Amino acid sequence: MATEVILPKVDMDMATGTIAKWYVESGATVKKGQAIFDIETDKSAMEIESPADGVIMLGDAQVGAVVPIGSVVAMIYGAGEVPKAAVPSPFSPREKVADRPDEGLAASPNAQTGSVASPSSALRTPSPNGGRGTNEDANSGSRATPLARRLARQKGISLSAIKGTGPHGRIVAEDVANARTASSVAAPSNAMESQAVRAMYAEGSYEVKPLDGMRRTIAQRLTQSKQTVPHFYLSATCTIDQLIAVRSRLNAHGGDAYKLSINDFIIKAMAQALQQVPDANVTFTDEGILHHRASDVGVAVSVEGGLFTPVIRSAESKSLKRISSEMKDLASRAKARKLQPADYQGGSAAISNLGMFGVESFTAIINPPQATILAIGAAVERFIPVNKQPVLATQMEVTLSCDHRAVDGAVGARLLQAFQRLIEDPALMLVESVKFDNAP
Amino acid sequence: MANATKSKSATGPNARPFYAKHNKPQLRDALRRMWLIRRFEEVAEESYVRGLTHGTMHLSIGQEASAVGICMDLTNADYITSTHRGHGHCIGKGAEVKYMFAEFFGKEEGYCRGRGGSMHIADPATGNLGANGIVGGGLPLATGAALAIQLRKGKDVAVCFFGDGANNEGAFHESLNMAAVWNLPVIYVCENNQYGMSVSTERSTAVKDIATRASAYNMPGVIVNGNSIADVSEAMMVATERARNGGGPSLIECKTYRTRGHSRSDRNRYRTKDEIEDWKTRDPIPAFEEELEKFGVLSADEISVVREEVEKEVNDGFIFAQGGTNPVPESVLRDVYTGAA
Amino acid sequence: MSGRELSYAQAVQEAMSQAMEADHRVFIMGEDIGVYGGAFGVTGDMVQRFGPDRVRDTPISELGGAGVAVGAAMAGARPIYEFQFSDFASLAMEQIVNQAAKMRYMLGGKISVPIVFRMPCGSGTGAAAQHSQSLEAWFAHIPGLKVVEPATPEDAKGLLLAALDDPDPVMVFEHKLLYKVKGHVPEAPYRTPIGKAAIRREGKDATLIAAGIMAPKALEAATILAGEDIDIEVIDLRTIRPLDTKAIFDSVKKTTRLAIAYEGVKSFGIGAEISAAVAEDEAFDYLDAPIMRLGGVESPIPYSPILEKAAVPQVDDIVAGLRALVKKRF
């Protein structure tokens, strides 16, 4: 059984401590009682001894980092145990919490409510007598009773999202039951109970497909979005003949190297528009508006049973070819449910394109924490007046949804305008930070 | 002459009770059984060294007179318990060699359906409560069988075969004491072959003769030449009479010898070849055949016929057993309990 | 429902008397069971009613005596052998374990050994280490034996009559402190089925399994805990081998928490077997807490009354244990 090395409480009123110095490196053999690191508290430094014999693997707590007491800072593996290469500590920025296959949420958007804080299960209270044993190391997840596991599995809840109230942070059935009701905080009290719903349909006239993790998450988050984000919508009609021509010309040179889609241009245009209207490249939080530096643009990808919105990071600085290949990769991984959280977390805006289905226009629901989402409609041929003469043009309607807490009407309008100009004249995308003569 | 049931010279005034009391068929059967034991043990040994049997075995070659002499007058209602060296006792009590071979080969046709093996051969239907793997294990059991007989006011007896090794077990002393206190119809037959496993009685037992211990328990104890069937049988007749008529228990010590080792793995380091060879000259079977011929009970030809019959029976039994049914693994739990497991 | 009350000892005697009246093959042997009436007074005046042959004093020879009983059983009798203290069964292990338990199996089913061994067990009388043990687990480990442990006078009679009907060897453990306990005992003969537990108290917060003296202690603890709104289901095993696993699993699935209270030493005891059986069954996925064993301490039973009490689970220990179990402190 691997032994946890925790940052101990050494002073009475101590809540955190700092590792001042490591005496050993990962892979070193240590003996029980041997000094392995110095801990610095408000009062003074103190040598901390190894709790067991074995091979020690350090976590990534940096020297000097402030660590809550009880955190696991290293693991000691005994004879016959295989040391795990990395021991993530509880405060590393990107916690891969949803990797466990049996958690049921392998590839869904961040199950935690948007924060990057660590799950509580990694902050385990130490068991000084070792009585209950560390039957799971810090990496592989939570301590939970068999009943709690089964209930969580049935309900598609990740154990890592649940705080355990049992001894040693153990998750018990009660915690799973409570977690369910907490995460359905978005489920309003006037949502119909499933029994009541079923009662409205004749027996045998329907088939029940149980909710999987993805469906549940979509239901939860989009309900939350609709209820808490003040949406408003702005539409514009873009003439895309030039876009079509440019695409065609570029693809003629593409060969095997690239094949650009309309969507690739749309992503780039949106990214650049966000750079041109930085006030729209934002996220609302209670403590302040985050003004993002890069344009991380999410793109809705439909998969069987649901959808994902993988993000193209810093899309403003990427070539069309690169955007295109990244999208292809993300889309295929999305369909295979092999996306990592890093692929879909965050982002400042999103694009959703239903034009391929013939939808002329629609309004999309914002994915928090993003502040906008652009809904793209189908390309339609129609006659438009140019110099008072009817000219055949191809047009596509786009509708921008905005989070009014962070993006006001005029800001949204300027974003939309910037996008329109770039998509109607794609050559403008070659110029960085093109300034337009627009009224505030 | 072979046509009289009792030969004239056998019933002469010098005839001993063994020959006076037993008729020709009985005597013939006694010889047959001795040969059956001998040939069975030899073939069993052969099959063991060829790797055909599992586990180990404890042969009683040389002790046939004791086994047959004690058992020949018992009925199916009389009980015997035996030792780990019990093949002879089982055959003496009427066991058929083909079912014994089958047991050695672990077949369903064996006396214990392959579950017991050499050390646990039994046939409760004929009063044979079985060989026993624990030295001294059968002493209390035979005593208990005798108690059951007494409680139902029967006339049957229980016979306990045990070896010189067992006479130092607590169970021996406790059993003999109780048998005497309660006056039970049990006959304790000690086959003293002078060695426990490797330790001689001289080195292990405080008294020279085990029969001496009988007096400590207030019961008669006699010593007989275990290699003379007549000696053994006559002592048994007396003891059985006593027991059946409420006279209580007795102990018969048969001085004998096993020419083979304790078991197949015995290297015989604890005794000399001379000693073994010396006892081979006192083989109980030729001695009995000699007497039978001398007293005119059986002719040499008739004796040959006995040997041939035995040979056939042993061979047929061996073949029967080889063609037996192997138990299926799923039956491993059968008969742990009576009725549903 | 009440009415006829007998003590546990009287109930045992009644069972034996009724069995002996009905079947001439039944008899009892043991030390000081005749005129003396038995060390715990269980046989009482039976020797006067049935005579010294059928209520038979033995010399002090546990191995020989038990073996004689086994041999008698093999030869058609139906003996009851009384060990004066269960600790003395250790002297007879050879005949119980190597002979009685295995005879049927070794002989391919050709014989049965219908013997009953009865013995007083357990601590609390100051009899100290060699006269106070709880060795049920030893015998429960042997295929071929059955082990029962009645907790009430009613079950003492019913289980003993069932044991006497049983064609296989049965070990009957009677806790010394139960002999004087009174309870309802129907007069006409009846059998309590071997292998069936009894739910003495229904509950929903935790399952508490006990046998023998622990059953009344468990009920007492449950009553105390009910006052704290903790609702305990108490199962009286009645039979140790074979375990009524169905009753155990059904209860665990209902309450999601399990504790086992027993006087035998905690390690390698009946608590271990029950815990493992539950952990292997689908009942495992219903457990919302680790399984708690409340067993005897890892020492021989001491003489001093303070230490003697401290050596085995008392009502307080059971209460504290179940409280921690239900309140998520275990």
Side-chain angles (χ1 to χ4, degrees), chain B residues 113 115 333-338, chain C residues 104-106 108-110:
Chain B
R113 305 183 72 177
R115 268 71 176 165
L333 292 179
R334 195 184 64 204
D335 295 319
V336 176
Y337 296 99
T338 311
Chain C
R104 179 174 178 78
Y105 189 79
M106 289 192 301
K110 305 263 180 93

Side-chain angles (χ1 to χ4, degrees), chain A residues 299-313:
Chain A
V299 182
V301 174
S302 169
V303 301
E304 190 172 316
L307 79 123
F308 287 111
T309 312
V311 175
I312 309 264
R313 312 265 172 207

